[in-house]
Amino acid sequence: MTNPFENPDGTYFALVNDEGQYSLWPSWAEIPAGWTVAFGEDTRQACLDHIETNWTDMRPSSLIRAMGE
Amino acid sequence: MTPTGSITTSGTAAPALTGPVIPAAPAAPATGGPASQLEDILPLSPLQQGLYFHAVFDEAAPDVYTAQLVLELEGPLDAARLRDAAARLLARHPNLRASFRQRASGDPVQLVHRRVEVPWREVSGGDPDAVAAEERARRFDLARPPLLRFALVRLAPDRHRLVLTNHHILLDGWSTPLLAAEFLALYTGAEPPPAPPYKDYLAWLVRQDRAAAGAAWGRALDGLDGPTLVAPDLAGGPPADPGRVRAHLSEGLTDRLTTVLRSRSLTLNTAVQGAWALLLAQLTGRDDVVFGGTVSGRPAELPGVERMVGLFINTLPVRVRLRPDETLTGLLARIQAEQTDLLPHHHLGLAEIQRWHGSGALFDTMTVLENYPTDTAAAEVGDGLRLTGAGGSDATHYPLALAVVPGGRLSLRLDHRPDVFPRAEALRLLNRLTRLLKAVAADPDLPLARLDLLSADERALVGAEAVPGGTADAETGRDATLVSAFAEQAERTPDAEAVAGDGFSLTYAALNGRANRLAHLLAELGVGPETPVAVLLERSAEVVVATLAIAKAGGTYVPVHHGYPPERMSWVMADTGAPVLVTDREPGFAHGAAVVRLDLPGAAAGDDPGFVPEYDPHVRVHPGQLAYVIYTSGSTGTPKGVAVRHRDVVALAADRCWTGRHRRVLMHSPHAFDASTYEIWVPLLTGGTVVVAPPGELDPAALARLAHEHRLTALFITTALFNLVAEEDPGTFALLAEVLTGGEAASPAAMRRVRDACPDTVLGHVYGPTETTTYATYHAVSEVGEGAPPIGRAMDGMRAHVLDGFLRPVPPGAVGELYLSGAGLARGYLGRAGLTAERFTACPYGGRMYRTGDLARWTPEGELEYLGRADQQVKIRGFRIEPGEIEAVLARHPSVAQVSVLARDNRLVAYVVGVEERTAGGGREGAGDVPAAGTTAGGVVPEELRAFAGKTLPEYMVPQAVVVLDALPLTPNGKVDRAALPEPGVPASGRAPETPGEERFCRLFAEVLGLERVGADDGFFDLGGDSIAVIQLVSRARREGLEISPREVFARQTAEALARAGSPDDPDGPGDPDASTGREILLPLRRTGAAPPLFCVHPGAGLGWPYSGLLRRLGPDQPVYALQARVLSEPDYTAPSIEAMARDYLEQVRRVRPRGPYLLAGWSMGGLIAHAMAVELRESGEEVALLAVLDAYPGREGGPDERDVLPELLAAIGYRGSGEIDDVVAFVRDQGGRYATLDEQTLLAVYRNYRNGVKISQEYEPRCFDGDVLFVTAAHGREADSPTAADWKPYVTGTITDHAVACDHASMLNPGPAAQIAELLRKELR
């Protein structure tokens, strides 16, 4: 069975949570609590490109704040 | 051959038949002379053919295709009349009088007999069920008609039970009620109109367009990725008597279901098939499933077909593709449409469909809707006789077969093979099916991904509930860091031992002080929060100091492995951007970092406490900060750095499973692999002791010594080493409180041995990817059954989810992919946002989860079982490897067009299609004509490719074999068919053993190497043997009383040569006892062969044995001699100069080879000597046909210190211990027998020789050789200023051809590199 995150023909979302962390997510699946759609629905690659472009500091937001203090 | 129509016997000779009970061929027409017993000879229908095959498959086993109809009769009954009715029934239906035979051609035929006796028996009283069971148990002989029998059981004067037992090949379930009705009508004297004969149907079959049907089935199954089997291992096994479980839907539910289906124009059969597809998908972990669907098989266009009696039904593939976003209704409508399209093609047999599709068995489960035409229950027969009930028995050979009977309450019946699905499991499946039908009735527009297949109990067991609260990866900062946790521990137990090893010990206070000093120094170099600091250190206490110091400075440690090639080292430095490198050597690779040398005086960790402050640097560290980055193989061609936080490691160390037992933990895993996280931090954060193993690989003996001397309480070892210890000396672990192992498929036998030998030692089976901080699950192994023990439950704070392709939790027993969430989940991959978002995803149960790519299932007890990889990732010797990374590297080579890498028997094999093969069209099939590994085929040079891979990949990722193919075999879907890739060609003679000695060694080789068969001339190393295997071989041989030493195996290599050892006619062996020491100056490795002999000159240590690794690949025609240092035989000898050695050896050489051409080779210092010999020979006018210099450089040889003498020497004798001289001597002595040739004195002589060699090498000024040089560079472990082949230019007038081999200097003559070098030499010599 193709893993739901590995379907080259599938459509996906780029989800983001309140820590600024991103997740690829198949568009047919229910969006888990705590996550919102940042991009998509679009192809897998387009979602990954969006994530590469926008998730530049991979530290969670709260850590960025804590380390900045 | 397929049936071509009915064949009557009238006027024709009967076809040739096989079998003992063939009736005499009818000699005359039926109308004259002795009447033929045969009325007709007919072909078989497709389903009949299938049943025939199953019936004759195993004639001893009970035939599960025995069906039974039981009629309950009340009222006065005339038994004789009933019997007469039975006879008439048979007279009216020719096909009921058929027997079945095979023609000589193998095709079965059915013979219709004119007359058959009706098997009839009457029983009075007794248990009617027992009678029915007896009737069923008696097997029908398909060659003896009729294949049915009657039993009339008289229960009371007016109560009877009629049992009609038949072979399924005669009748299907649809026909039975027709037959019963006709039978009872005949009893009453009625003469119902005759049904059209079965042969009409057979004739109709012949008229069908089989090609069109085949094409339709081919389309229906197009792109199917393999069969759907619930019991793949059962194929072909004898059928077992099935078990049977039943369930009934309530009337209300049946009504609702009927209404919903009707409103959407769906049939009940479609709903059953849809539900079964969903169940099967989850059971097998597939989203494209096939199962058998039973169709009535009665073609509407055939007049009177609905009244025919015979076998019509057919079981045909139902292929269902599931899409997560499709609704239940959508799915069912699609199934119904697809099945309707196939309706005209139902006449094709399954075997033929499989032929059209080009596959074997497609399925092993089936469904049938039993909507038979008439209700046989409760009917007036006549003359006061009433039919009050009817029942039956019918079965299939499938592991699971679902029958659905429509009615006011829908009835479900699941036949199951109890050996595959025990009753409880079958009941669970049936309950799941009921829930699915309930879902169809309740919410037909639900998308499949939302469909829940779990019962409440199952949900609880697999933990499929959301975690309250934890929605995001909140960095609260409340919990501890490595720094704070260690500081607390150091405060609590300053004088406790924190680090220990051979000859050293550090208290917590001392470790703290040293780490603080280094931390200050790092801070001065600019290390602050999350600054990556690369660490390249030999295993020592400094590893612990540096690791702790980097954490204290706020930095992130990035351990790199000294086995990486320079290019990979540089890549990691660049990828992390580490500004500082902590090391104990000259780095030897390009980088822009500041270097902290712990081996040089004045380093922070040194002995001068005044140099830098010892107090805590008090850098603020957040628990969410990164503690380390560990690189693992990446499938897209570059490694990926797993970024792990402080709190992840703290959580690992705090797990309750360590309590009490992990006090003194052995640190022996490479620092660059995540087992070291456990080894360092679990003891350090719990007040225990890190016991540092000496450098080098660990073997069972060293392990036992360390356990004893350092009072170890726990350690982790890889599966490979665990299995070896279990094999050699399972009691080794008895001193320990706990042994942890895992990471690869466990060997139950090895675990059992250890459990038996060490009943008081806890055996911890651990599992976990680097991404979840070393270990994610833990299982204390108690009982070891047939299979591998489970990997257990999630560790504290962590959660495991086994999800299917629609991200739904799977029920216990079903296969899914394992996802992990909770404590220990790393931040992600350093600087790889996209990759992180793919693998660390949102979790349906809160927070994030890591997608492991591992297949797993829940046991009924709620533990996890590991079932392999969902992708191609493999583990070899504990190293996690993505074949994709290797493929990406190999694909960069200009000769490579296509490549596929896979692991076979723990070896990596690369399958390569060369650019030339591709352009040539690749006409040949991929399999079949496989060049042996190591041969050259059309442009791709395997050894060159391996060397190429070795430049960027660590040694453990370089494929051991390269197989060149014309084309890669493809699946019907166009993917590489990995299962069809051929075994790498073993360059083996395969000669069967001829003497008892050969036989024993062949068997021992096969056992140790896990091979089925080994030829007497097959080389141990060519078959995949390595140094661990050598030790296994020696110890097994000893157990059988065969005295051999590891060096014997290295020297002799084949079963033939080992068996010859010690016999008087041993041509390889020493002729007289004095020469049997293996210390002679000219050591013959192979005397025989027509070619000019190759003389190989010893390296610095003085021994020539390692050159035996060249033998196999050089071929049997190539004699080989090794030159060994004189000091081995004359301990007081000191060679004055290289030239003197050269002259000395030439004298020896000339004894066996007085005139040229000469072939010379030398490794390390031997290269200098060989060069000097070549110069001498040329000056005396001799021809030198080959001078091969293996990683030797003029004026530079012998740089390493004393400690480096040993790897070379020890590798040669199979030793893998600590390297202390006493230990080595003990090891050598333990080898025993006449081959333990190295006493302490000799070893000391070797040392002296080496030191002298260093001296005279440096003094040596080579003269010029007027010929060519074949040079081999050891590609690994090179430093930036390492000498190169070009350094020889002033001393060679001819061409220097440089070849790189993927190994470091010391391991050049290990089996892998030696084979490559031999290959290079062989080509040169051709």
Side-chain angles (χ1 to χ4, degrees):
Chain A
M1 174 171 308
T2 312
N3 183 281
F5 295 94
E6 300 285 353
N7 182 1
D9 307 322
T11 60
Y12 289 87
F13 291 127
L15 301 185
V16 68
N17 65 14
D18 51 11
E19 287 286 357
Q21 295 169 311
Y22 282 78
S23 168
L24 185 70
W25 195 251
S27 58
W28 47 260
E30 202 170 352
I31 294 168
W35 295 81
T36 53
V37 173
F39 179 79
E41 155 179 16
D42 209 322
T43 63
R44 187 174 189 276
Q45 192 54 50
C47 291
L48 291 177
D49 289 346
H50 174 88
I51 293 168
E52 286 283 356
T53 310
N54 289 278
W55 195 12
T56 48
D57 186 344
M58 289 174 63
R59 291 176 301 165
S61 317
S62 58
L63 180 68
I64 296 173
R65 284 192 300 275
M67 287 175 74
E69 278 165 16
Chain B
M1 202 188 107
T2 50
T4 53
S6 68
I7 309 154
T8 55
T9 53
S10 338
T12 63
L17 296 169
T18 60
V21 208
I22 305 169
T31 48
S36 164
Q37 295 174 28
L38 291 187
E39 179 178 300
D40 222 346
I41 299 181
L42 301 170
L44 272 60
S45 76
L47 189 65
Q48 281 183 316
Q49 288 181 26
L51 290 181
Y52 182 81
F53 167 76
H54 282 291
V56 298
F57 183 81
D58 183 357
E59 297 187 340
D63 189 345
V64 296
Y65 284 103
T66 304
Q68 203 167 51
L69 175 72
V70 179
L71 302 176
E72 306 278 352
L73 298 164
E74 270 184 34
L77 184 139
D78 182 341
R81 236 167 88 199
L82 198 62
R83 181 178 187 163
D84 191 44
R88 283 166 60 207
L89 195 65
L90 261 63
R92 288 164 58 96
H93 294 282
N95 55 319
L96 298 185
R97 305 192 300 273
S99 68
F100 294 81
R101 299 290 183 83
Q102 222 164 348
R103 287 179 202 246
S105 68
D107 291 325
V109 288
Q110 44 188 325
L111 311 177
V112 177
H113 298 250
R114 280 190 200 289
R115 266 182 301 279
V116 292
E117 197 66 23
V118 179
W120 181 271
R121 71 165 174 147
E122 291 175 25
V123 184
S124 263
D127 177 4
D129 292 336
V131 174
E134 272 167 37
E135 291 285 296
R136 264 204 313 279
R138 266 165 56 215
R139 215 186 140 101
F140 286 104
D141 178 351
L142 293 187
R144 287 175 185 278
L147 302 180
L148 50 71
R149 54 181 163 251
F150 296 83
L152 182 64
V153 188
R154 185 185 163 95
L155 302 170
D158 280 355
R159 275 186 56 222
H160 291 81
R161 188 175 288 188
L162 182 84
V163 181
L164 167 58
T165 309
N166 68 279
H167 197 281
H168 203 354
I169 202 165
L170 289 191
L171 290 172
D172 59 20
W174 184 302
S175 304
T176 322
L178 296 174
L179 198 67
E182 188 177 332
F183 175 46
L184 295 175
L186 291 169
Y187 170 77
T188 61
E191 194 73 25
Y198 186 66
K199 67 186 281 188
D200 285 5
Y201 164 70
L202 294 174
W204 174 87
L205 270 181
V206 173
R207 293 196 301 272
Q208 300 313 301
D209 185 347
R210 313 179 79 78
W217 282 107
R219 280 193 302 277
L221 298 171
D222 187 39
L224 184 70
D225 186 17
T228 307
L229 303 176
V230 294
D233 303 334
L234 271 187
D241 235 6
R244 173 169 288 186
V245 291
R246 296 172 193 273
H248 297 276
L249 265 51
S250 70
E251 268 179 45
L253 179 55
T254 306
D255 282 351
R256 279 200 304 282
L257 184 62
T258 314
T259 310
V260 162
L261 292 176
R262 194 173 295 145
S263 70
R264 287 163 168 79
S265 306
L266 297 168
T267 66
L268 179 59
N269 194 36
T270 300
V272 168
Q273 291 184 337
W276 188 251
L278 289 164
L279 183 92
L280 201 53
Q282 193 151 56
L283 199 59
T284 57
R286 307 176 67 91
D287 54 9
D288 186 357
V289 295
V290 198
F291 54 92
T294 303
V295 298
S296 80
R298 293 177 186 245
E301 66 198 74
L302 197 60
V305 73
E306 70 286 350
R307 289 185 295 119
M308 283 188 186
V309 166
L311 183 68
F312 298 89
I313 60 164
N314 204 351
T315 299
L316 294 168
V318 179
R319 190 253 186 111
V320 179
R321 278 158 289 199
L322 299 174
R323 301 202 290 249
D325 50 345
E326 198 169 37
T327 63
L328 275 170
T329 303
L331 170 71
L332 297 183
R334 192 160 52 82
I335 294 175
Q336 189 157 300
E338 287 168 3
Q339 293 301 308
T340 306
D341 286 347
L342 287 168
L343 207 54
H345 312 296
H346 278 180
H347 57 85
L348 222 54
L350 182 58
E352 206 170 343
I353 291 171
Q354 287 172 182
R355 273 199 299 278
W356 275 98
H357 179 243
S359 63
L362 286 166
F363 54 82
D364 65 355
T365 67
M366 60 162 284
T367 64
V368 56
L369 184 73
E370 292 186 346
N371 52 345
Y372 298 149
T374 45
D375 188 0
T376 47
E380 201 67 41
V381 176
D383 294 345
L385 186 66
R386 276 174 50 82
L387 178 65
T388 57
S393 164
D394 197 355
T396 75
H397 67 279
Y398 292 110
L400 289 177
L402 174 73
V404 176
V405 186
R409 297 179 64 201
L410 192 71
S411 156
L412 308 173
R413 192 180 77 214
L414 185 63
D415 285 349
H416 58 99
R417 277 189 59 150
D419 49 339
V420 185
F421 294 96
R423 187 179 166 79
E425 182 64 26
L427 275 170
R428 265 195 293 277
L429 293 178
L430 203 54
N431 286 339
R432 209 170 293 154
L433 196 75
T434 311
R435 280 198 301 280
L436 278 165
L437 291 172
K438 226 179 254 178
V440 173
D443 195 355
D445 298 317
L446 195 70
L448 297 188
R450 310 271 172 90
L451 197 63
D452 186 3
L453 284 81
L454 268 59
S455 70
D457 290 355
E458 288 168 342
R459 290 190 77 80
L461 189 78
V462 306
E465 270 95 31
V467 184
T471 52
D473 211 0
E475 301 285 358
T476 58
R478 277 199 301 273
D479 40 2
T481 66
L482 292 177
V483 182
S484 69
F486 177 79
E488 282 169 26
Q489 191 58 52
E491 186 117 321
R492 265 200 302 275
T493 58
D495 301 324
E497 194 176 40
V499 183
D502 290 343
F504 60 87
S505 171
L506 285 178
T507 63
Y508 272 80
L511 171 64
N512 197 25
R514 288 178 63 171
N516 285 344
R517 289 205 300 279
L518 182 54
H520 279 287
L521 189 90
L522 292 171
E524 274 173 36
L525 289 169
V527 174
E530 298 210 341
T531 306
V533 178
V535 182
L536 172 60
L537 290 173
E538 183 63 272
R539 190 158 58 230
S540 65
E542 302 310 323
V543 171
V544 185
V545 173
T547 304
L548 181 59
I550 294 165
K552 279 170 173 275
T556 301
Y557 64 93
V558 185
V560 288
H561 193 261
H562 55 78
Y564 287 175
E567 209 172 291
R568 196 179 181 91
M569 295 270 197
S570 301
W571 187 90
V572 169
M573 295 298 289
D575 193 50
T576 57
V580 178
L581 167 67
V582 178
T583 184
D584 54 6
R585 70 193 72 188
E586 187 60 44
F589 53 87
H591 65 89
V595 176
V596 176
R597 285 283 289 267
L598 298 187
D599 57 327
L600 298 181
D607 301 322
D608 179 6
F611 191 75
V612 256
E614 199 171 87
Y615 57 79
D616 199 298
H618 288 299
V619 176
R620 215 184 108 198
V621 181
H622 190 284
Q625 252 174 255
L626 295 187
Y628 61 81
V629 174
I630 280 182
Y631 279 83
T632 74
S633 181
S635 59
T636 51
T638 45
K640 54 198 182 198
V642 181
V644 176
R645 307 166 304 175
H646 277 255
R647 67 154 53 94
D648 299 326
V649 186
V650 171
L652 175 75
D655 198 276
R656 285 167 298 170
C657 76
W658 314 127
T659 308
R661 295 186 301 277
H662 298 252
R663 304 296 304 160
R664 297 179 64 85
V665 174
L666 186 66
M667 181 180 99
H668 69 100
S669 301
H671 193 212
F673 298 95
D674 68 344
S676 67
T677 309
Y678 153 78
E679 292 171 345
I680 295 175
W681 292 110
V682 168
L684 277 195
L685 300 188
T686 58
T689 308
V690 181
V691 176
V692 183
E697 276 183 67
L698 212 58
D699 68 5
L703 204 59
R705 178 187 71 81
L706 289 164
H708 180 73
E709 287 178 13
H710 291 286
R711 294 171 291 116
L712 293 180
T713 67
L715 56 81
F716 167 82
I717 60 175
T718 58
T719 305
L721 188 53
F722 179 86
N723 292 350
L724 182 59
V725 174
E727 171 92 354
E728 299 302 330
D729 187 8
T732 301
F733 299 128
L735 291 170
L736 304 174
E738 175 151 14
V739 181
L740 298 175
T741 187
E744 284 165 84
S747 152
M751 289 200 160
R752 210 172 297 124
R753 281 178 70 91
V754 170
R755 288 292 300 142
D756 291 348
C758 318
D760 298 328
T761 302
V762 177
L763 175 54
H765 194 204
V766 283
Y767 159 87
T770 306
E771 286 84 343
T772 58
T773 318
T774 313
Y775 306 132
T777 71
Y778 173 89
H779 169 79
V781 178
S782 47
E783 294 284 300
V784 187
E786 288 303 306
I791 53 172
R793 299 168 200 274
M795 295 181 62
D796 290 347
M798 184 160 268
R799 283 159 58 85
H801 316 277
V802 183
L803 307 181
D804 67 11
F806 299 169
L807 295 174
R808 299 172 304 187
V810 301
V815 182
E817 273 195 52
L818 181 60
Y819 296 72
L820 298 164
S821 67
L825 208 65
R827 179 185 294 170
Y829 300 112
L830 190 74
R832 309 280 290 275
L835 192 58
T836 303
E838 276 180 41
R839 303 300 304 210
F840 294 83
T841 72
C843 174
Y845 310 103
R848 296 200 304 163
M849 62 183 181
Y850 172 66
R851 171 160 70 92
T852 66
D854 287 319
L855 297 173
R857 74 174 157 228
W858 294 102
T859 67
E861 293 75 37
E863 292 205 286
L864 289 163
E865 283 178 336
Y866 172 81
L867 299 169
R869 288 292 301 176
D871 55 19
Q872 308 300 337
Q873 192 190 94
V874 293
K875 281 228 176 154
I876 290 196
R877 284 153 48 204
F879 298 116
R880 168 172 150 184
I881 295 168
E882 294 284 359
E885 182 174 353
I886 304 168
E887 287 165 3
V889 168
L890 292 179
R892 283 182 220 138
H893 193 273
S895 72
V896 174
Q898 281 174 294
V899 58
S900 184
V901 172
L902 59 89
R904 291 198 109 111
D905 307 324
N906 280 318
R907 298 198 312 155
L908 284 167
V909 183
Y911 295 89
V912 177
V913 179
V915 172
E916 289 177 21
E917 281 83 358
R918 249 259 290 251
T919 50
R924 283 188 293 152
E925 283 190 12
D929 190 15
V930 184
T935 62
T936 308
V940 177
V941 182
E943 298 312 329
E944 194 181 304
L945 212 52
R946 283 169 36 80
F948 179 77
K951 282 187 190 153
T952 40
L953 297 173
E955 169 269 333
Y956 57 83
M957 288 178 74
V958 177
Q960 280 96 335
V962 175
V963 177
V964 183
L965 299 175
D966 282 350
L968 296 177
L970 300 178
T971 63
N973 290 350
K975 295 182 195 159
V976 174
D977 186 353
R978 300 175 87 90
L981 287 167
E983 289 282 340
V986 176
S989 68
R991 175 173 75 77
E994 285 162 8
T995 66
E998 287 184 359
E999 207 168 287
R1000 288 170 87 178
F1001 277 107
C1002 283
R1003 180 174 45 75
L1004 287 167
F1005 276 27
E1007 280 174 22
V1008 167
L1009 300 175
L1011 299 171
E1012 245 176 54
R1013 203 183 64 84
V1014 166
D1017 297 331
D1018 297 348
F1020 186 73
F1021 301 104
D1022 294 312
L1023 295 170
D1026 58 13
S1027 53
I1028 288 187
V1030 170
I1031 295 168
Q1032 283 178 306
L1033 180 72
V1034 168
S1035 92
R1036 280 190 193 224
R1038 290 257 169 77
R1039 241 178 274 153
E1040 301 197 3
L1042 293 167
E1043 276 300 326
I1044 54 164
S1045 70
R1047 92 110 177 132
E1048 280 279 318
V1049 182
F1050 277 105
R1052 292 176 179 266
Q1053 304 215 8
T1054 65
E1056 180 264 335
L1058 283 165
R1060 252 196 296 108
S1063 76
D1065 56 344
D1066 178 4
D1068 286 357
D1072 62 83
D1074 293 338
S1076 71
T1077 58
R1079 286 178 290 188
E1080 49 273 48
I1081 294 169
L1082 189 67
L1083 176 73
L1085 296 176
R1086 185 193 286 127
R1087 284 193 169 107
T1088 53
L1094 173 67
F1095 295 95
C1096 304
V1097 189
H1098 65 84
L1103 290 168
W1105 306 342
Y1107 290 109
S1108 58
L1110 302 175
L1111 286 177
R1112 182 78 218 177
R1113 290 294 172 111
L1114 286 175
D1117 234 23
Q1118 179 64 60
V1120 180
Y1121 291 84
L1123 287 152
Q1124 308 200 96
R1126 185 168 287 279
V1127 72
L1128 292 176
S1129 44
E1130 297 168 34
D1132 295 331
Y1133 177 79
T1134 305
S1137 68
I1138 297 287
E1139 289 96 333
M1141 286 171 116
R1143 280 191 296 272
D1144 187 7
Y1145 298 156
L1146 279 175
E1147 258 179 57
Q1148 302 280 335
V1149 166
R1150 287 192 171 108
R1151 282 186 201 167
V1152 291
R1153 179 86 181 165
R1155 310 294 311 185
Y1158 289 99
L1159 312 176
L1160 302 171
W1163 167 37
S1164 198
M1165 188 175 88
L1168 301 187
I1169 304 169
H1171 177 268
M1173 288 166 71
V1175 171
E1176 288 272 337
L1177 284 169
R1178 288 298 297 140
E1179 284 175 357
S1180 55
E1182 291 291 351
E1183 186 190 341
V1184 176
L1186 172 76
L1187 173 58
V1189 177
L1190 312 181
D1191 212 41
Y1193 304 91
R1196 292 290 298 265
E1197 214 34 66
D1201 66 16
E1202 230 170 79
R1203 217 170 68 172
D1204 287 341
V1205 180
L1206 281 168
E1208 244 171 42
L1209 166 65
L1210 300 181
I1213 58 173
Y1215 171 83
R1216 306 187 311 113
S1218 68
E1220 297 302 315
I1221 186 75
D1222 292 347
D1223 190 27
V1224 175
V1225 172
F1227 168 81
V1228 171
R1229 201 173 291 133
D1230 285 351
Q1231 298 303 304
R1234 67 194 179 94
Y1235 301 110
T1237 55
L1238 293 177
D1239 52 21
E1240 189 167 354
Q1241 200 192 3
T1242 312
L1243 280 171
L1244 291 171
V1246 167
Y1247 264 110
R1248 274 206 305 280
N1249 181 55
Y1250 193 91
R1251 273 207 298 261
N1252 180 53
V1254 170
K1255 181 170 147 280
I1256 61 177
S1257 297
Q1258 280 160 353
E1259 290 165 0
Y1260 173 57
E1261 181 59 32
R1263 283 178 290 160
C1264 196
F1265 168 60
D1266 63 342
D1268 298 338
V1269 168
L1270 173 82
F1271 194 87
V1272 183
T1273 304
H1276 290 176
R1278 293 176 60 79
E1279 303 182 353
D1281 59 345
S1282 288
T1284 66
D1287 292 8
W1288 279 105
K1289 274 189 187 154
Y1291 313 108
V1292 175
T1293 60
T1295 314
I1296 303 170
T1297 319
D1298 183 17
H1299 301 266
V1301 168
C1303 63
D1304 60 24
H1305 178 81
S1307 49
M1308 259 195 130
L1309 290 180
N1310 284 2
Q1316 293 184 54
I1317 292 168
E1319 189 63 30
L1320 290 169
L1321 296 178
R1322 196 173 60 85
K1323 268 190 284 188
E1324 192 70 22
L1325 295 174
R1326 249 194 313 214

